[in-house]
Amino acid sequence: MTGMIEPKDEKSLVQLIRWAAAEEKPIELLGAGTKRALGRPVEATLALRLGGIAGIEDYQPEELVVSVRAGTRIADLDLALGQRGQMLPFEPGDWGPLLGAPARGATIGGVVGCNLSGPRRIKAGAARDHVLGIKGVSGRGEVFKAGGYVVKNVTGYDLPKLMTGSYGTLAALTEITLKVLPKPEKTRTLLAFGLDDDAAIRLLCAVAGSPHEVSGLAHLPHGVARRSRVAYVSGAGKATTAIRIEGPAPSVAVRLEALKAIAGKLGALEELHGSNSAALWSEIANGAFFAADDAAQIWRLSVAPTDGPKATALVRAALPGAEAYFDWSGGLVWLAVPPSSDARAQTVRGALGGLDGYATLIRASATTRQSVAVFQPEPSALAALSRRVKEAFDPKNVLNPGRMTAGT
Amino acid sequence: MLMPKPEERLLAMRDDIVAALRDIVPGEGTIADAEALKVYESDGLTAYRQVPLAVVLPTTVEQVSAVLRYCHEAGVKVVPRGAGTGLSGGALPLQDGIVLGLGKFKRILDIDYANRAVRVQPGVTNLAITQAVEHAGFYYAPDPSSQIACTIGGNVAENSGGVHCLKYGMTTNNILGVELVLMTGEIVRLGGRHLDAAGYDLLGIVTGSEGLLGVVTEVTVRILQKPATARALLLGFPSNEAAGRSVAEIIAAGIVPGGMEMMDRAMIHASEAYCRPGYPLDAEAILIVELDGPQVEVDHLIERVREIALACGANSVRASASDEERLRFWAGRKAAFPAVGRISPDYMCMDGTIPRKRLPEVLERMRALSANHGLRVANVFHAGDGNLHPLILFDANVPGETEKAEAFGADILRLCVEVGGVLTGEHGVGVEKRDLMPAMFGEADLAHQERLKCAFDPAGRLNPGKVFPTLHRCAELGKMHVHRGQIPFPDIPRF
């Protein structure tokens, strides 16, 4: 590693990537660097910090569209949107503290690069569903744009989706156009207590299939719930199941009553308002329950919701010290395993055998992330296709090489 | 419209190609008879016609794989086809290519209510998915107007929309996974019943790729619970500006309607004459605003939208009191195309998207273009998401009118791009808008898209001549000029 450079504009970024391609010098792309410990370690000659290419380019609240430079901090974007009563619907978590970096540092480029979506993903969709357009510099050192500035567009390939979640291995994004939505007028979170994982996920899936348009469905087993900063959750001394309802006030009131009737059959209920509700969902989005224990290795499993408890039970049976909680109605399992050199990869991925889904290693030492497949290995035809896609954008393999898979 | 020059080699080996296809798909599944082939000569864009070399209608993924592997090895061009309802010519055959039809893949494979996922074969119609789950209170959200006939495989290829896109998204936001056969015959699965596929978002790329990247043989869609209630407002305005302002104010108030459609004066009169939906004939523009969701929420928002519309100068406001009345409001909108068909021998439907706030200006300039080209135009507009459907009225039997209509259409699409919009919101590029791509994308933009095509289909055998205005060889696209030299900005401080 020879150092870090912060290009101030697209032109200098182009020159740097052209130089890297010509000299075949791998470079690491960073926004603010808060998720630098996510993915496989990159062995690079030079790191480019893109946080300097920042600022809101164009914001049209009545179009529900905002264009920002990729280095813009999420905190700044949230503030600007909030002033007009709007928000990023996909509710990205702040993973800084979880990954040993400061809170509130993350950039939109980093969030889009990792396709990071929080609890509202079940209703609003993922980051990838909100990226309408992009501009960036590919590994060829060429500026290109794709998509557009409107919400409905099928002109050409949907490269904005390909860029989202590509971890900076295809291009350095400079500008991102996003679909935004109005903030809900009112939010309530309904809590149910003492359910085991199976019963909780059954309840959440039933609620997901009801017409009550919920925007958050999570379940915290007791060992996790007791670490919440929200007293109603940690103080209950039991597993906590959370259901979020958002919308116009009269609608929230009616739906809340309807959901109480469904969940109330299973025991006592509690209701969170305002800051307590917001605090709980941000803990869930941020993996905050696992942030304190530096040693624990963390996985995220993406599965069909009803398979969440099944896969988790298998892991728990094999690894008594493992802890888990569920978001996305059971479809997203946050899993902390007792540390080992391979982060228990075989056990974790083995638990998914035969199920639709995959496991991603979110936190482990650089040595472990080097030796274990951080992202689920793909079958050979698909892996070869992914490699050809990488080559199409970055033929000299200079952008974040090795971040997603060894070699690319 | 110029298609790639047919290759003599392929025309000459037609009998061999047919024999090879018959080996894979025997009997009626391989069509070579001239009369029978005519059925496939065009899709929904009937202005262009071409009889293919042959048509093959496999029934299994193994057959699809074998057909593609053969075509890959023999260098035969392949045009995939669903129901053939596409409006941009994406399934237009090639003289020197075969059509691979997925119409026999008609089974619904699995309905998983707990996970709200339905796995279907690509030849299942869009509407059939909703019909299979509606008894349990669910539906599949994207609803293109051809939903009775169009297939889910075609929807994936075109990333089809409908009137509910602003709130519920397009096809790409409502599918979870596909099984895809590559041009080599390799079979890959992208996504599944889980959210957020792993690795590169190839599912996102394949959706809307217009049959240029692979052939979809299975689709897993996400179904939604039906909204408890839906009500609509029928709003009449004295000007396009007032209607446009009303749209902006509704969105600015934080309301996201399930559907919000606008029609201009020409369209209002055509619809009213066709099916008497009761539209206000003195209005310059009407809006149909549908709110869906929990009853109390819908009633609450109907009142707020009514207030906004009145404040913006609406001179007629009707809120549906029954589902029957709501459907009557929609009847005129849904019959827009046949209604125009009644007042004009032919019409051409355009499909640009614009930033909503530019609507009054775009309509004004469209009027000027209409006068210049000497052709009438009627407008329906998905106002919620900015997707404009101008219908250009012409008579193909009058010499030169078709060309005039095409030129008018191209001017409209260039106008859409000029105001910050795009060439196509939901119909696709196909052959229709292919040559307009440079109006929206620069050379480098297109080259990055074409290189992606190369990653899937390096020999360019899958649906060539669509989407991209110029066919480039992959080797040529892959070339890279490298300038060796000093690291730029050696004086930038390192830290």
Side-chain angles (χ1 to χ4, degrees):
Chain A
M1 184 69 61
T2 61
M4 175 133 34
I5 286 189
E6 185 164 323
K8 290 287 181 247
D9 54 26
E10 188 180 86
K11 198 173 150 224
S12 36
L13 181 60
V14 167
Q15 286 180 301
L16 284 160
I17 293 180
R18 283 198 180 155
W19 167 81
E23 300 296 324
E24 304 196 14
K25 302 280 192 206
I27 51 181
E28 182 178 10
L29 297 176
L30 303 170
T34 59
K35 288 181 281 296
R36 202 174 185 181
L38 186 60
R40 297 182 73 257
V42 175
E43 279 191 32
T45 313
L46 190 66
L48 297 191
R49 190 186 276 267
L50 302 173
I53 305 177
I56 292 175
E57 191 93 13
D58 188 23
Y59 177 28
Q60 304 284 345
E62 71 277 22
E63 302 287 335
L64 302 176
V65 169
V66 65
S67 290
V68 291
R69 293 188 200 102
T72 309
R73 280 171 201 272
I74 293 287
D76 296 335
L77 182 54
D78 278 345
L79 191 67
L81 297 175
Q83 281 166 352
R84 304 302 298 264
Q86 296 186 340
M87 62 175 186
L88 292 177
F90 52 95
E91 202 180 7
D94 179 0
W95 289 11
L98 187 70
L99 299 171
R104 296 176 56 79
T107 64
I108 187 66
V111 161
V112 166
C114 302
N115 188 25
L116 221 58
S117 320
R120 203 182 287 105
R121 198 249 177 275
I122 52 164
K123 177 159 188 267
R128 55 93 86 174
D129 296 299
H130 294 85
V131 182
L132 303 176
I134 54 99
K135 196 174 170 204
V137 184
S138 70
R140 305 172 58 90
E142 294 166 11
V143 176
F144 71 104
K145 65 173 187 305
Y149 300 88
V150 292
V151 294
K152 198 169 175 188
N153 175 19
V154 295
T155 321
Y157 296 135
D158 198 345
L159 298 187
K161 284 204 175 53
L162 181 64
M163 295 301 134
T164 308
S166 65
Y167 287 81
T169 60
L170 302 177
L173 298 185
T174 53
E175 197 182 309
I176 300 170
T177 299
L178 297 148
K179 175 183 170 182
V180 298
L181 280 181
K183 276 191 177 180
E185 184 183 312
K186 193 167 188 173
T187 302
R188 287 286 182 268
T189 295
L190 184 65
L191 302 179
F193 300 104
L195 302 182
D196 66 27
D197 295 351
D198 287 323
I201 300 307
R202 261 201 310 279
L203 169 65
L204 296 182
C205 287
V207 167
S210 78
H212 302 307
E213 299 190 357
V214 293
S215 71
L217 291 169
H219 173 66
L220 313 177
H222 174 223
V224 172
R226 68 189 168 81
R227 283 187 222 129
S228 174
R229 286 180 298 125
V230 179
Y232 289 101
V233 176
S234 49
K238 288 175 181 167
T240 303
T241 308
I243 301 169
R244 182 171 62 183
I245 315 112
E246 299 176 319
S251 165
V252 168
V254 169
R255 287 183 288 150
L256 187 62
E257 288 313 309
L259 290 166
K260 279 180 178 170
I262 298 173
K265 292 177 195 145
L266 303 173
L269 301 174
E270 186 58 74
E271 208 180 290
L272 298 183
H273 298 192
S275 59
N276 277 323
S277 171
L280 176 63
W281 291 103
S282 87
E283 287 180 317
I284 291 167
N286 299 349
F289 311 109
F290 296 154
D293 178 5
D294 289 338
Q297 291 162 325
I298 301 169
W299 292 84
R300 293 216 311 171
L301 317 187
S302 178
V303 291
T306 53
D307 289 338
K310 274 183 231 164
T312 306
L314 286 173
V315 174
R316 283 212 184 99
L319 303 170
E323 284 195 299
Y325 73 91
F326 304 84
D327 195 358
W328 300 355
S329 184
L332 176 66
V333 183
W334 285 80
L335 182 68
V337 297
S340 77
S341 59
D342 69 346
R344 321 279 177 176
Q346 280 200 336
T347 308
V348 172
R349 293 217 162 99
L352 297 177
L355 303 177
D356 274 3
Y358 62 94
T360 310
L361 180 58
I362 297 298
R363 189 178 74 185
S365 71
T367 321
T368 299
R369 284 181 288 117
Q370 188 93 52
S371 59
V372 172
V374 168
F375 298 93
Q376 187 91 10
E378 293 176 328
S380 63
L382 186 54
L385 178 59
S386 296
R387 229 171 7 252
R388 295 196 298 273
V389 169
K390 162 78 170 168
E391 283 161 16
F393 286 86
D394 181 20
K396 302 289 182 187
N397 197 21
V398 293
L399 300 183
N400 276 355
R403 177 69 87 195
M404 294 185 81
T405 53
T408 56
Chain B
M1 181 59 51
L2 219 56
M3 294 309 284
K5 197 170 167 315
E7 293 176 29
E8 289 302 330
R9 178 185 69 87
L10 292 169
L11 298 176
M13 65 186 274
R14 178 174 187 265
D15 291 347
D16 296 345
I17 294 171
V18 170
L21 294 177
R22 286 230 160 93
D23 277 349
I24 302 166
V25 185
E28 293 179 351
T30 296
I31 301 168
D33 170 69
E35 267 313 296
L37 286 177
K38 269 188 83 71
V39 174
Y40 296 89
E41 69 178 359
S42 76
D43 61 8
L45 184 70
T46 51
Y48 303 110
R49 290 166 198 274
Q50 172 62 56
V51 175
L53 271 187
V55 173
V56 62
L57 305 172
T59 54
T60 67
V61 62
E62 289 75 21
Q63 286 178 342
V64 173
S65 166
V67 167
L68 288 176
R69 193 166 52 241
Y70 160 72
C71 291
H72 173 67
E73 284 162 5
V76 177
K77 297 173 186 171
V78 180
V79 176
R81 178 183 167 109
T85 58
L87 294 171
S88 56
L92 176 70
L94 299 167
Q95 192 189 340
D96 59 346
I98 66 157
V99 165
L100 172 57
L102 279 299
K104 296 199 169 171
F105 283 75
K106 282 187 171 310
R107 282 191 303 136
I108 292 178
L109 300 170
D110 181 52
I111 301 178
D112 176 354
Y113 289 112
N115 291 307
R116 294 184 294 150
V118 177
R119 201 157 55 85
V120 299
Q121 291 191 324
V124 171
T125 63
N126 172 293
L127 189 62
I129 299 177
T130 290
Q131 284 168 342
V133 298
E134 63 189 349
H135 67 276
F138 289 87
Y139 77 116
Y140 174 63
D143 58 344
S145 52
S146 56
Q147 68 179 151
I148 298 173
C150 66
T151 62
I152 189 67
N155 289 179
V156 170
E158 299 294 325
N159 190 13
S160 306
V163 299
H164 296 105
C165 291
L166 180 65
K167 187 166 178 185
Y168 296 105
M170 320 228 321
T171 301
T172 189
N173 312 110
N174 287 278
I175 61 170
L176 297 167
V178 297
E179 179 184 74
L180 181 78
V181 185
L182 303 178
M183 191 62 213
T184 52
E186 291 168 294
I187 301 166
V188 297
R189 297 190 74 90
L190 309 173
R193 286 179 307 155
H194 51 295
L195 299 170
D196 290 2
Y200 289 142
D201 190 357
L202 302 181
L203 179 60
I205 279 298
V206 164
T207 310
S209 63
E210 306 197 22
L212 270 71
L213 300 183
V215 175
V216 169
T217 47
E218 192 184 295
V219 186
T220 303
V221 305
R222 176 135 98 136
I223 50 171
L224 298 177
Q225 59 285 2
K226 258 199 216 138
T229 330
R231 286 182 68 194
L233 283 155
L234 178 63
L235 309 167
F237 293 89
S239 68
N240 290 320
E241 288 72 13
R245 201 162 57 241
S246 193
V247 169
E249 293 286 325
I250 290 166
I251 301 282
I255 299 167
V256 179
M260 181 151 56
E261 294 288 308
M262 185 167 154
M263 294 161 70
D264 71 0
R265 188 179 182 84
M267 198 64 242
I268 296 167
H269 284 256
S271 289
E272 190 59 30
Y274 182 74
C275 63
R276 312 236 165 269
Y279 291 162
L281 293 176
D282 58 339
E284 273 301 314
I286 60 166
L287 277 180
I288 304 170
V289 184
E290 179 161 298
L291 284 313
D292 62 8
Q295 167 105 42
V296 52
E297 177 171 327
V298 170
D299 293 346
H300 170 76
L301 294 178
I302 284 273
E303 284 316 306
R304 288 189 58 193
V305 172
R306 183 204 300 268
E307 285 160 21
I308 291 169
L310 287 171
C312 290
N315 45 18
S316 78
V317 177
R318 278 163 59 198
S320 68
S322 64
D323 225 34
E324 196 188 12
E325 190 174 16
R326 177 179 71 88
L327 294 174
R328 200 158 57 242
F329 291 172
W330 279 109
R333 167 61 186 87
K334 297 219 161 167
F337 291 11
V340 163
R342 164 117 27 126
I343 60 167
S344 174
D346 296 285
Y347 66 89
M348 197 175 278
C349 173
M350 309 311 293
D351 172 47
T353 303
I354 57 170
R356 282 177 290 257
K357 66 173 172 188
R358 306 295 293 267
L359 180 70
E361 173 195 345
V362 167
L363 290 180
E364 192 53 47
R365 288 176 61 185
M366 215 186 287
R367 241 175 268 162
L369 288 172
S370 165
N372 285 348
H373 289 279
L375 291 174
R376 289 179 298 159
V377 61
N379 268 290
V380 288
F381 180 58
H382 299 305
D385 48 44
N387 188 198
L388 198 61
H389 289 317
L391 301 169
I392 298 170
L393 316 187
F394 69 105
D395 183 349
N397 288 326
V398 176
E401 275 220 344
T402 305
E403 292 71 22
K404 265 204 307 197
E406 283 176 349
F408 184 8
D411 280 349
I412 291 174
L413 295 182
R414 281 192 207 99
L415 171 61
C416 290
V417 173
E418 186 198 318
V419 301
V422 300
L423 294 173
T424 170
E426 57 183 350
H427 294 171
V429 177
V431 292
E432 189 199 29
K433 280 148 269 180
R434 185 191 71 186
D435 294 345
L436 287 169
M437 287 289 269
M440 186 167 153
F441 294 115
E443 218 173 291
D445 306 333
L446 286 172
H448 278 87
Q449 297 195 29
E450 288 172 87
R451 284 189 208 101
L452 181 66
K453 159 81 170 162
C454 292
F456 281 80
D457 174 27
R461 298 283 103 177
L462 203 47
N463 219 3
K466 317 289 170 70
V467 181
F468 298 109
T470 316
L471 280 179
H472 292 107
R473 288 183 176 282
C474 288
E476 175 195 336
L477 285 164
K479 277 188 199 144
M480 213 171 136
H481 292 286
V482 294
H483 308 282
R484 292 182 190 281
Q486 289 292 306
I487 179 166
F489 320 111
D491 52 338
I492 291 181
R494 312 288 171 88
F495 50 90

